[in-house]
PDB file of all heavy atoms in Angstrom:
ATOM      1  N   TRP A 202     -29.537  15.146 -18.667  1.00 98.00           N
ATOM      2  CA  TRP A 202     -29.978  14.046 -17.785  1.00 98.00           C
ATOM      3  C   TRP A 202     -31.479  14.170 -17.537  1.00 98.00           C
ATOM      4  O   TRP A 202     -32.230  13.203 -17.659  1.00 98.00           O
ATOM      5  CB  TRP A 202     -29.190  14.148 -16.460  1.00 98.00           C
ATOM      6  CG  TRP A 202     -29.602  13.184 -15.402  1.00 98.00           C
ATOM      7  CD1 TRP A 202     -30.713  13.257 -14.604  1.00 98.00           C
ATOM      8  CD2 TRP A 202     -28.913  11.994 -15.000  1.00 98.00           C
ATOM      9  NE1 TRP A 202     -30.758  12.214 -13.732  1.00 98.00           N
ATOM     10  CE2 TRP A 202     -29.662  11.415 -13.955  1.00 98.00           C
ATOM     11  CE3 TRP A 202     -27.730  11.379 -15.415  1.00 98.00           C
ATOM     12  CZ2 TRP A 202     -29.274  10.247 -13.309  1.00 98.00           C
ATOM     13  CZ3 TRP A 202     -27.343  10.209 -14.779  1.00 98.00           C
ATOM     14  CH2 TRP A 202     -28.106   9.648 -13.740  1.00 98.00           C
ATOM     15  N   GLN A 203     -31.896  15.379 -17.196  1.00 98.00           N
ATOM     16  CA  GLN A 203     -33.294  15.610 -16.796  1.00 98.00           C
ATOM     17  C   GLN A 203     -34.255  15.526 -17.979  1.00 98.00           C
ATOM     18  O   GLN A 203     -35.467  15.386 -17.799  1.00 98.00           O
ATOM     19  CB  GLN A 203     -33.421  17.000 -16.143  1.00 98.00           C
ATOM     20  CG  GLN A 203     -32.598  17.207 -14.892  1.00 98.00           C
ATOM     21  CD  GLN A 203     -31.144  17.622 -15.176  1.00 98.00           C
ATOM     22  OE1 GLN A 203     -30.654  17.542 -16.297  1.00 98.00           O
ATOM     23  NE2 GLN A 203     -30.449  18.052 -14.132  1.00 98.00           N
ATOM     24  N   ALA A 204     -33.721  15.632 -19.212  1.00 98.00           N
ATOM     25  CA  ALA A 204     -34.579  15.657 -20.408  1.00 98.00           C
ATOM     26  C   ALA A 204     -35.024  14.259 -20.840  1.00 98.00           C
ATOM     27  O   ALA A 204     -35.739  14.122 -21.834  1.00 98.00           O
ATOM     28  CB  ALA A 204     -33.834  16.314 -21.571  1.00 98.00           C
ATOM     29  N   ALA A 205     -34.640  13.230 -20.070  1.00 97.00           N
ATOM     30  CA  ALA A 205     -34.834  11.841 -20.523  1.00 97.00           C
ATOM     31  C   ALA A 205     -36.223  11.577 -21.101  1.00 97.00           C
ATOM     32  O   ALA A 205     -36.343  10.951 -22.149  1.00 97.00           O
ATOM     33  CB  ALA A 205     -34.538  10.878 -19.375  1.00 97.00           C
ATOM     34  N   TYR A 206     -37.273  12.068 -20.440  1.00 95.00           N
ATOM     35  CA  TYR A 206     -38.635  11.810 -20.920  1.00 95.00           C
ATOM     36  C   TYR A 206     -39.402  13.082 -21.250  1.00 95.00           C
ATOM     37  O   TYR A 206     -40.628  13.068 -21.388  1.00 95.00           O
ATOM     38  CB  TYR A 206     -39.413  10.977 -19.884  1.00 95.00           C
ATOM     39  CG  TYR A 206     -38.855   9.581 -19.783  1.00 95.00           C
ATOM     40  CD1 TYR A 206     -38.047   9.214 -18.704  1.00 95.00           C
ATOM     41  CD2 TYR A 206     -39.081   8.649 -20.785  1.00 95.00           C
ATOM     42  CE1 TYR A 206     -37.499   7.952 -18.620  1.00 95.00           C
ATOM     43  CE2 TYR A 206     -38.530   7.387 -20.716  1.00 95.00           C
ATOM     44  CZ  TYR A 206     -37.744   7.037 -19.633  1.00 95.00           C
ATOM     45  OH  TYR A 206     -37.189   5.788 -19.574  1.00 95.00           O
ATOM     46  N   ALA A 207     -38.681  14.188 -21.357  1.00 97.00           N
ATOM     47  CA  ALA A 207     -39.368  15.458 -21.628  1.00 97.00           C
ATOM     48  C   ALA A 207     -39.914  15.483 -23.046  1.00 97.00           C
ATOM     49  O   ALA A 207     -39.308  14.930 -23.966  1.00 97.00           O
ATOM     50  CB  ALA A 207     -38.401  16.619 -21.429  1.00 97.00           C
ATOM     51  N   GLU A 208     -41.039  16.139 -23.200  1.00 96.00           N
ATOM     52  CA  GLU A 208     -41.518  16.478 -24.539  1.00 96.00           C
ATOM     53  C   GLU A 208     -40.748  17.709 -25.000  1.00 96.00           C
ATOM     54  O   GLU A 208     -40.533  18.638 -24.207  1.00 96.00           O
ATOM     55  CB  GLU A 208     -43.025  16.798 -24.512  1.00 96.00           C
ATOM     56  CG  GLU A 208     -43.899  15.622 -24.162  1.00 96.00           C
ATOM     57  CD  GLU A 208     -43.871  14.525 -25.208  1.00 96.00           C
ATOM     58  OE1 GLU A 208     -43.710  14.835 -26.415  1.00 96.00           O
ATOM     59  OE2 GLU A 208     -44.006  13.350 -24.827  1.00 96.00           O
ATOM     60  N   LEU A 209     -40.329  17.715 -26.250  1.00 98.00           N
ATOM     61  CA  LEU A 209     -39.568  18.842 -26.783  1.00 98.00           C
ATOM     62  C   LEU A 209     -40.447  19.628 -27.753  1.00 98.00           C
ATOM     63  O   LEU A 209     -41.055  19.037 -28.654  1.00 98.00           O
ATOM     64  CB  LEU A 209     -38.313  18.348 -27.508  1.00 98.00           C
ATOM     65  CG  LEU A 209     -37.411  17.377 -26.726  1.00 98.00           C
ATOM     66  CD1 LEU A 209     -36.197  16.977 -27.574  1.00 98.00           C
ATOM     67  CD2 LEU A 209     -36.949  17.991 -25.407  1.00 98.00           C
ATOM     68  N   VAL A 210     -40.524  20.920 -27.536  1.00 98.00           N
ATOM     69  CA  VAL A 210     -41.302  21.775 -28.437  1.00 98.00           C
ATOM     70  C   VAL A 210     -40.396  22.891 -28.946  1.00 98.00           C
ATOM     71  O   VAL A 210     -39.763  23.596 -28.154  1.00 98.00           O
ATOM     72  CB  VAL A 210     -42.550  22.361 -27.728  1.00 98.00           C
ATOM     73  CG1 VAL A 210     -43.215  23.433 -28.590  1.00 98.00           C
ATOM     74  CG2 VAL A 210     -43.554  21.254 -27.423  1.00 98.00           C
ATOM     75  N   PHE A 211     -40.301  23.003 -30.258  1.00 98.00           N
ATOM     76  CA  PHE A 211     -39.453  24.024 -30.878  1.00 98.00           C
ATOM     77  C   PHE A 211     -40.350  25.064 -31.539  1.00 98.00           C
ATOM     78  O   PHE A 211     -41.208  24.710 -32.345  1.00 98.00           O
ATOM     79  CB  PHE A 211     -38.522  23.371 -31.907  1.00 98.00           C
ATOM     80  CG  PHE A 211     -37.606  22.340 -31.286  1.00 98.00           C
ATOM     81  CD1 PHE A 211     -37.917  20.980 -31.340  1.00 98.00           C
ATOM     82  CD2 PHE A 211     -36.462  22.734 -30.613  1.00 98.00           C
ATOM     83  CE1 PHE A 211     -37.081  20.036 -30.753  1.00 98.00           C
ATOM     84  CE2 PHE A 211     -35.616  21.792 -30.019  1.00 98.00           C
ATOM     85  CZ  PHE A 211     -35.929  20.443 -30.085  1.00 98.00           C
ATOM     86  N   LEU A 212     -40.163  26.310 -31.161  1.00 98.00           N
ATOM     87  CA  LEU A 212     -40.994  27.392 -31.705  1.00 98.00           C
ATOM     88  C   LEU A 212     -40.147  28.280 -32.614  1.00 98.00           C
ATOM     89  O   LEU A 212     -38.976  28.524 -32.325  1.00 98.00           O
ATOM     90  CB  LEU A 212     -41.573  28.238 -30.565  1.00 98.00           C
ATOM     91  CG  LEU A 212     -42.444  27.514 -29.530  1.00 98.00           C
ATOM     92  CD1 LEU A 212     -42.846  28.469 -28.417  1.00 98.00           C
ATOM     93  CD2 LEU A 212     -43.685  26.900 -30.180  1.00 98.00           C
ATOM     94  N   ASP A 213     -40.769  28.789 -33.678  1.00 98.00           N
ATOM     95  CA  ASP A 213     -40.027  29.652 -34.612  1.00 98.00           C
ATOM     96  C   ASP A 213     -39.832  31.071 -34.083  1.00 98.00           C
ATOM     97  O   ASP A 213     -39.019  31.818 -34.586  1.00 98.00           O
ATOM     98  CB  ASP A 213     -40.760  29.714 -35.960  1.00 98.00           C
ATOM     99  CG  ASP A 213     -40.429  28.477 -36.782  1.00 98.00           C
ATOM    100  OD1 ASP A 213     -39.323  27.930 -36.580  1.00 98.00           O
ATOM    101  OD2 ASP A 213     -41.274  28.050 -37.581  1.00 98.00           O
ATOM    102  N   ILE A 214     -40.555  31.435 -33.072  1.00 98.00           N
ATOM    103  CA  ILE A 214     -40.486  32.785 -32.507  1.00 98.00           C
ATOM    104  C   ILE A 214     -39.103  33.050 -31.887  1.00 98.00           C
ATOM    105  O   ILE A 214     -38.485  32.144 -31.341  1.00 98.00           O
ATOM    106  CB  ILE A 214     -41.621  32.907 -31.458  1.00 98.00           C
ATOM    107  CG1 ILE A 214     -41.787  34.299 -30.933  1.00 98.00           C
ATOM    108  CG2 ILE A 214     -41.417  31.953 -30.310  1.00 98.00           C
ATOM    109  CD1 ILE A 214     -43.046  34.422 -30.045  1.00 98.00           C
ATOM    110  N   LEU A 215     -38.615  34.286 -32.021  1.00 98.00           N
ATOM    111  CA  LEU A 215     -37.339  34.659 -31.384  1.00 98.00           C
ATOM    112  C   LEU A 215     -37.627  35.061 -29.933  1.00 98.00           C
ATOM    113  O   LEU A 215     -38.683  35.645 -29.640  1.00 98.00           O
ATOM    114  CB  LEU A 215     -36.677  35.812 -32.145  1.00 98.00           C
ATOM    115  CG  LEU A 215     -36.357  35.506 -33.625  1.00 98.00           C
ATOM    116  CD1 LEU A 215     -35.844  36.751 -34.335  1.00 98.00           C
ATOM    117  CD2 LEU A 215     -35.339  34.367 -33.743  1.00 98.00           C
ATOM    118  N   TRP A 216     -36.681  34.765 -29.027  1.00 98.00           N
ATOM    119  CA  TRP A 216     -36.975  34.916 -27.606  1.00 98.00           C
ATOM    120  C   TRP A 216     -37.544  36.292 -27.214  1.00 98.00           C
ATOM    121  O   TRP A 216     -38.525  36.355 -26.458  1.00 98.00           O
ATOM    122  CB  TRP A 216     -35.766  34.547 -26.734  1.00 98.00           C
ATOM    123  CG  TRP A 216     -36.073  34.818 -25.296  1.00 98.00           C
ATOM    124  CD1 TRP A 216     -35.576  35.811 -24.517  1.00 98.00           C
ATOM    125  CD2 TRP A 216     -37.028  34.108 -24.492  1.00 98.00           C
ATOM    126  NE1 TRP A 216     -36.153  35.768 -23.273  1.00 98.00           N
ATOM    127  CE2 TRP A 216     -37.048  34.736 -23.229  1.00 98.00           C
ATOM    128  CE3 TRP A 216     -37.879  33.017 -24.719  1.00 98.00           C
ATOM    129  CZ2 TRP A 216     -37.876  34.304 -22.186  1.00 98.00           C
ATOM    130  CZ3 TRP A 216     -38.705  32.581 -23.688  1.00 98.00           C
ATOM    131  CH2 TRP A 216     -38.702  33.217 -22.445  1.00 98.00           C
TER     132      TRP A 216
END
Side-chain angles (χ1 to χ4, degrees):
W202 175 283
Q203 299 84 347
Y206 292 103
E208 294 294 328
L209 308 180
V210 170
F211 299 98
L212 301 176
D213 279 332
I214 188 172
L215 300 174
W216 176 252

